[in-house]
């Protein structure tokens, strides 16, 4: 189950902030892992809200495969910036939430995945009993197991310390290698975008425009030591300079 998304000339403004997205066009091909890398407040989450149908762009068109989906909800699996687990539901019940809306929930499958991410013993626990990283894994599984062919992940690891974050990135890649869903991933971390993606869109500060598209040249599966290799560090520093020129000053 794979799909492609296509954003064509999307513009969006808010009364309070003015123009946030400025004629933005981007694509995710079937089975591709694409990142959007840009400064805080540039409009990254707004892009996701447009794709998810929560926000209506004033201009432009959004397509899932070849179907126009402007303003339509329920098309994609979406992991928002905060894990947003339901506190009164067990871990297992939170994971199943993404399925319940569309089909009979598959407990056996959910348990299998909980085991894969090291949370078997927590199936019956409640969100307040979990660490930040565990909550993010639960929120991630909820999105992964909802029967959707496109996965939107909004800074899923931003709250984690560097070591946990790297573990989660490796873990995400190992899962993605199995499923190869189409992924659109938001981050403001250059290393993360380079380590994970097939392609990266660099965004300008608000109003967001695409300042560069990078085809990431590293082979898959990505190895841990990649982040220390010369080519990787070179590209990382090139992107840093480019974002700095564009006016990026925080969070890197
Ligand atoms: N619903 C909204 N109403 C008004 N302003 C908003 C709304 N959503 C986002 N914004 C504003 O749009 C800008 C971009 O926000 P956002 O897309 O969350 O940026 P990012 O995810 O890149 O940090 C910010 O200035 C934010 O305050
Ligand atoms: Mg955001």
């Amino acid at each position: 189950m794979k799909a492609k998304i296509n954003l064509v000339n999307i513009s969006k403004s808010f009364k309070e902030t003015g123009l946030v997205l400025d004629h933005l066009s981007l694509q995710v091909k079937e089975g591709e892992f694409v990142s959007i890398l840009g400064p805080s407040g540039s409009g990254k989450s707004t892009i996701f809200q447009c794709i998810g149908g929560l926000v209506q762009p004033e201009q432009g068109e959004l397509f899932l495969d070849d179907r126009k989906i402007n303003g339509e909800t329920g098309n994609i699996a979406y992991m928002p910036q905060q894990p947003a687990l339901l506190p009164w539901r067990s871990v297992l019940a939170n994971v199943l939430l993404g399925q319940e809306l569309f089909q009979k929930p598959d407990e056996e499958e959910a348990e299998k995945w909980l085991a894969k991410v090291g949370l078997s013993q927590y199936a019956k626990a409640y969100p307040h009993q979990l660490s930040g990283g565990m909550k993010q894994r639960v929120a991630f599984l909820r999105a992964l197991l909802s029967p959707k062919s496109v996965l939107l992940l909004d800074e899923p690891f931003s709250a984690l310390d560097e070591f946990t974050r790297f573990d989660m990135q490796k873990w995400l890649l190992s899962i993605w290698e199995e499923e190869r869903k189409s992924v659109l991933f938001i981050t403001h971390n250059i290393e993360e975008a380079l380590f994970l993606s097939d392609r990266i869109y660099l965004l300008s500060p608000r109003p967001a425009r695409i300042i560069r598209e990078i085809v990431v040249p590293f082979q898959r599966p990505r190895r841990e030591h990649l982040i220390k290799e010369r080519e990787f560090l070179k590209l990382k520093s090139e992107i840093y300079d480019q974002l700095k020129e564009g006016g990026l000053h925080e969070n890197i």
Side-chain angles (χ1 to χ4, degrees), residues 14 16-17 20 39-47 49 81 155 206:
F14 293 110
E16 303 84 346
T17 24
V20 173
S40 296
S42 57
K44 301 183 297 299
S45 296
T46 305
I47 298 173
Q49 284 169 344
Q81 220 165 339
E155 306 203 26
R206 195 178 71 234

Side-chain angles (χ1 to χ4, degrees), residues 72-161:
E72 249 186 65
T73 55
N75 286 307
I76 42 109
Y78 184 2
M79 178 178 171
Q81 220 165 339
Q82 299 302 324
L85 303 179
L86 301 178
W88 60 88
R89 281 187 158 230
S90 70
V91 164
L92 182 64
N94 265 290
V95 170
L96 289 171
L97 193 64
Q99 296 190 343
E100 272 170 25
L101 303 171
F102 304 99
Q103 63 181 48
K104 192 171 166 296
D106 186 342
E107 272 195 31
E108 214 172 297
E109 191 194 20
E111 276 167 0
K112 189 188 84 185
W113 277 102
L114 281 170
K116 274 193 198 189
V117 306
L119 290 176
S120 284
Q121 299 103 309
Y122 291 87
K124 293 199 171 70
Y126 285 84
H128 75 270
Q129 294 169 290
L130 308 182
S131 70
M134 289 173 174
K135 283 183 196 158
Q136 286 190 312
R137 275 178 268 172
V138 174
F140 176 77
L141 285 189
R142 181 175 60 190
L144 184 77
L145 296 185
S146 74
K148 303 289 166 194
S149 40
V150 176
L151 202 52
L152 304 185
L153 304 171
D154 193 349
E155 306 203 26
F157 309 140
S158 56
L160 306 177
D161 65 73

Side-chain angles (χ1 to χ4, degrees), residues 174-189:
S174 68
I175 284 172
W176 179 79
E177 295 284 351
E178 263 180 57
E179 298 267 309
R180 291 268 177 159
K181 286 194 178 193
S182 313
V183 175
L184 191 54
F185 187 98
I186 287 179
T187 181
H188 57 239
N189 185 298

